[in-house]
Amino acid sequence: MSDSLDQIFINAKQWILSLLSALPGWLTPLVSCLINIAALLGVFLTLFAAISVLERKILGRMQNRYGPNRVGPFGLFQPVADGIKMLIKEDIVPVRADKLVHFLAPILIAATAILTLGIIPYGRNMTPFAIDGGILFFFAVGSTTELAVFMAGWGSNNKFSMLGAMRAIAQMVSYELPLIITTLPDVMVVGALSPDAIVAAQDGYWTGVLPYWFVTTPWGAAAFILFFVSGLVESNRTPFDVPEGESEIVAGHMTEYSGFKYATFFLAEYFGMFAISGLAVTLFLGGWHAPISILEFIPSYVWFFLKLSGLLFVYIWIRGTLPRTRVDQIMNFAWKFMLPMAFTCIVAAAVWHYLGRGFAGWLSSLAVIAIVYVALSRLLETKKRFATRTYRFAE
């Protein structure tokens, strides 16, 4: 019963394909791909609608104010109202803008976000497009986000948009390096670029209790934190939402966008957040594996989306807690701390691997991480720079 429930979506897809068995043989793979795409879009568009209202409700609860509560019961129809508003809102394009580039930018950034969702294993045998170089594909496709942001800034023919785009690209390129480098320890230890192989390598439990997830190792825990922070920046989330600056007068590269084009940027931002969080679950949190062996009867996709929901809640929690940082602080943090620590994770993973992946390797790996962390904290001492301010008043 448990196995049939776990594979219910796979069996449903096979049943649909069996009904279409009369089709020519060359059409079957195409129909299979279309089913995967429809399922992927259906799930994540629903999740996008849900999180758009839940985020405002959670932030309202954290900040002791009301969230959406007018449209529908408990405000649950707010996403529908938002969608209708964006669809009927006037689409204004600057007279001197590059019309084609201005139009293509939101399409490209949304397509990029959707493609990255295709290689993540959402459950046992539930990878929409399983390819051997899935991790490489994720970052190769994801890197086109910078091109889309540049197109939005350049195509708007607006100095504020262009400066916002350049600021966003500088930030995204800086944090894409530690984002990619922190995935290398997993690839090295597993010896594969396939997300399915990485999830399979995290199967099992230490002494039958602790899950054999990479986040339980010192190098995995450090890499996970660095990956998560880099994901915050790549998703333009607080406290790293400097390119957008939604509480300021302008909105970065999206300044000249309105209506459904602006909604497409908004959707792509959340889809990117889903993709980064999903990849973090895959790389470090065991993917769809249960945290305790006695809970393996629960369907695998339930565990994946529970972990994904946990990370999304942390995204919202951080947004409701931390103020926006300055551009120079963000860039210094990337190049002076994040990048050295990301390379340190590779060395620590190598030490852990070559010492037999046992307790000695665990301690040695922890020592490597701790030594570099302490050294960097000493070198980047900021207490003098941010000394207590003395106020002097005129008589």
Side-chain angles (χ1 to χ4, degrees):
M1 177 63 183
S2 176
D3 187 61
S4 62
L5 187 61
D6 185 57
Q7 298 295 295
I8 185 171
F9 297 109
I10 305 299
N11 295 333
K13 177 185 172 183
Q14 295 300 327
W15 177 73
I16 293 172
L17 290 175
S18 67
L19 293 178
L20 303 173
S21 57
L23 293 174
W26 60 271
L27 266 180
T28 303
L30 179 60
V31 173
S32 178
C33 288
L34 291 176
I35 292 172
N36 289 344
I37 293 169
L40 197 68
L41 288 176
V43 168
F44 283 100
L45 283 173
T46 304
L47 185 59
F48 167 67
I51 199 172
S52 67
V53 65
L54 286 175
E55 178 169 11
R56 285 177 279 182
K57 281 186 169 293
I58 293 169
L59 289 174
R61 175 69 66 176
M62 288 179 176
Q63 297 167 351
N64 195 25
R65 58 178 176 80
Y66 290 112
N69 62 355
R70 300 285 179 176
V71 187
F74 306 105
L76 294 179
F77 292 163
Q78 187 64 47
V80 178
D82 292 339
I84 294 172
K85 173 190 172 184
M86 289 297 179
L87 280 169
I88 64 177
K89 194 173 182 180
E90 184 181 4
D91 179 28
I92 300 172
V93 181
V95 175
R96 300 179 65 184
D98 189 321
K99 303 294 190 299
L100 180 62
V101 176
H102 187 273
F103 174 76
L104 290 178
I107 297 175
L108 178 61
I109 199 168
T112 296
I114 294 168
L115 283 172
T116 54
L117 291 168
I119 55 89
I120 296 172
Y122 300 102
R124 188 179 287 106
N125 304 320
M126 288 180 63
T127 308
F129 303 101
I131 55 178
D132 291 335
I135 302 297
L136 187 63
F137 175 85
F138 184 96
F139 290 111
V141 171
S143 62
T144 58
T145 303
E146 286 89 332
L147 176 61
V149 170
F150 178 76
M151 288 171 62
W154 177 267
S156 297
N157 195 18
N158 179 316
K159 290 183 174 62
F160 288 109
S161 297
M162 191 62 188
L163 288 172
M166 292 297 99
R167 189 165 61 173
I169 292 168
Q171 176 178 310
M172 294 165 75
V173 168
S174 299
Y175 279 87
E176 204 163 86
L177 289 172
L179 188 74
I180 294 172
I181 293 169
T182 49
T183 64
L184 293 182
D186 291 68
V187 174
M188 288 166 47
V189 168
V190 177
L193 281 165
S194 168
D196 295 276
I198 292 173
V199 172
Q202 299 177 76
D203 190 13
Y205 302 88
W206 296 101
T207 65
V209 181
L210 276 177
Y212 189 73
W213 299 349
F214 290 143
V215 77
T216 59
T217 62
W219 61 266
F224 170 69
I225 294 171
L226 295 171
F227 186 93
F228 186 79
V229 173
S230 300
L232 278 172
V233 181
E234 290 291 307
S235 304
N236 282 335
R237 297 285 299 185
T238 306
F240 304 108
D241 57 339
V242 172
E244 183 179 336
E246 59 186 13
S247 62
E248 300 165 7
I249 296 174
V250 295
H253 56 283
M254 296 185 288
T255 301
E256 296 293 353
Y257 283 89
S258 61
F260 199 71
K261 290 178 183 175
Y262 180 84
T264 305
F265 275 108
F266 191 65
L267 180 140
E269 181 179 310
Y270 276 89
F271 271 30
M273 187 170 69
F274 299 154
I276 291 288
S277 300
L279 189 62
V281 171
T282 300
L283 293 174
F284 303 105
L285 301 180
W288 42 261
H289 291 299
I292 307 173
S293 56
I294 61 173
L295 296 177
E296 289 186 327
F297 67 92
I298 297 175
S300 56
Y301 51 83
V302 172
W303 285 119
F304 180 89
F305 280 99
L306 281 175
K307 296 173 187 177
L308 181 66
S309 301
L311 291 184
L312 294 176
F313 175 76
V314 176
Y315 271 90
I316 298 169
W317 190 359
I318 290 173
R319 179 179 178 181
T321 307
L322 299 179
R324 184 179 294 129
T325 52
R326 295 199 316 258
V327 176
D328 61 314
Q329 292 172 338
I330 295 174
M331 302 303 285
N332 282 332
F333 187 62
W335 293 100
K336 295 181 180 179
F337 180 80
M338 295 282 289
L339 198 58
M341 284 302 299
F343 282 114
T344 303
C345 291
I346 297 177
V347 176
V351 170
W352 176 80
H353 174 73
Y354 285 110
L355 288 180
R357 304 189 178 192
F359 187 66
W362 198 94
L363 285 179
S364 302
S365 175
L366 178 62
V368 171
I369 297 288
I371 289 169
V372 176
Y373 176 81
V374 171
L376 284 173
S377 64
R378 296 293 183 185
L379 288 172
L380 304 176
E381 186 66 52
T382 56
K383 286 183 180 179
K384 294 180 181 178
R385 204 177 306 167
F386 298 105
T388 305
R389 183 177 296 177
T390 303
Y391 291 94
R392 294 180 174 85
F393 299 96
E395 291 292 339

